[in-house]
Amino acid sequence: MDDEPVAREGLSDFVGKVDFLELVGTCASALEATEFVNKGMVDLIFLDINMPYLSGMDFLESLENPPLTIFTTAYPEYALDGYRLQVVNYLMKPIPFKRFFQAATNALQTFILRNPAENSSGQQDYMYIRQGDSFKKIHWQDILYIESMQNYAKLHFKDDKKVIHQTLSSLEESLPPDQFFRIHKSFLINISRIDSIMGGRVFIEGNELPLSRHRKDELLNQVVYKNLISK
């Protein structure tokens, strides 16, 4: 969505080059875009900030359930507002295709994590994470635990670690609750990979992780006691 025809044509051309994107419409103003959004026709919008009548920022704030959004603008001072509104990415004009593709793949990763049921047939036991300009398929059961790094998360595997641009809270919402448990504000664990629990610590593959006091009883009740064979 952009009030400049050349900018709209450029983005439309970029969308046509990415096989996982489908263009459903272009709009010259936020008012024109309202119909698309309200009908649930869009999963992702490329939104210019400076537009007539209603700015892109005001438009996004007016939406009750906004789609994934990538800001496109010539003004870097709006970057903090983008983080406040939890946009997927922030593209500075003129936009090179490489940056466009990176932002689009980041949006796809976010969409997959937020909508696991729409991306599965039967029981899905995997997800894709973005690594540079490519996607890597990982199986949930291979994750030992996930560590929060503010707006990033570090996925720990037996012999590897992967950092992705995703919050721990969004991962917790996307991963199966019967397999993953939040033991601490900074740690989400795969309960099938627990080796032992001792005091305020959980041990997984030689890693000692903190167990919050208010989460300990729930972990014991939901995971340990129901599988305890000797009391």
Side-chain angles (χ1 to χ4, degrees):
M1 180 165 52
D2 200 305
D3 61 325
E4 300 175 8
V6 174
R8 292 199 304 275
E9 290 173 7
L11 287 175
S12 297
D13 180 59
F14 283 175
V15 169
K17 297 179 185 299
V18 181
D19 58 3
F20 57 80
L21 294 179
E22 179 184 355
L23 184 66
V24 296
T26 61
C27 302
S29 70
L31 297 175
E32 188 181 340
T34 302
E35 182 180 356
F36 280 101
V37 175
N38 288 342
K39 288 184 177 180
M41 300 172 64
V42 237
D43 297 313
L44 170 68
I45 54 176
F46 291 87
L47 179 64
D48 187 24
I49 293 177
N50 288 323
M51 291 189 296
Y53 306 114
L54 187 66
S55 73
M57 200 85 67
D58 292 336
F59 169 71
L60 191 59
E61 289 183 305
S62 72
L63 299 176
E64 185 175 350
N65 295 301
L68 297 175
T69 302
I70 295 174
F71 275 153
T72 61
T73 182
Y75 303 94
E77 62 267 25
Y78 292 113
L80 287 178
D81 291 301
Y83 285 113
R84 177 176 60 84
L85 294 170
Q86 297 184 320
V87 299
V88 176
N89 219 306
Y90 190 96
L91 296 177
M92 289 292 299
K93 297 178 180 179
I95 303 169
F97 179 74
K98 181 179 179 179
R99 277 290 297 121
F100 175 88
F101 182 76
Q102 289 172 340
T105 53
N106 184 212
L108 177 60
Q109 175 188 324
T110 302
F111 179 80
I112 291 171
L113 288 171
R114 290 185 183 179
N115 304 275
E118 295 185 22
N119 298 282
S120 64
S121 55
Q123 182 64 38
Q124 180 176 304
D125 65 349
Y126 63 89
M127 65 181 180
Y128 286 90
I129 60 172
R130 185 168 68 88
Q131 298 288 281
D133 291 341
S134 64
F135 291 108
K136 180 175 177 60
K137 182 180 182 179
I138 62 171
H139 290 274
W140 292 336
Q141 61 264 31
D142 294 334
I143 301 173
L144 302 179
Y145 62 94
I146 305 172
E147 181 180 358
S148 173
M149 301 173 64
Q150 294 185 340
N151 290 325
Y152 291 81
K154 182 184 291 186
L155 280 59
H156 292 259
F157 303 88
K158 186 173 183 179
D159 299 310
D160 197 11
K161 298 179 181 68
K162 301 288 185 186
V163 175
I164 61 174
H165 190 192
Q166 201 74 32
T167 65
L168 193 63
S169 294
S170 64
L171 284 170
E172 184 180 12
E173 292 176 359
S174 303
L175 291 167
D178 60 341
Q179 188 171 348
F180 287 85
F181 188 91
R182 185 80 166 261
I183 62 167
H184 185 274
K185 65 180 181 179
S186 299
F187 291 95
L188 179 67
I189 66 167
N190 184 340
I191 59 177
S192 67
R193 308 307 292 264
I194 295 174
D195 293 321
S196 63
I197 302 170
M198 185 181 300
R201 292 288 184 269
V202 174
F203 295 85
I204 299 177
E205 293 283 346
N207 298 285
E208 182 177 335
L209 309 177
L211 173 58
S212 296
R213 184 183 303 175
H214 73 282
R215 300 295 288 163
K216 182 177 180 179
D217 287 343
E218 188 176 351
L219 177 64
L220 294 176
N221 288 328
Q222 290 189 11
V223 178
V224 178
Y225 293 153
K226 64 172 59 177
N227 296 296
L228 190 62
I229 61 174
S230 62
K231 301 181 179 181

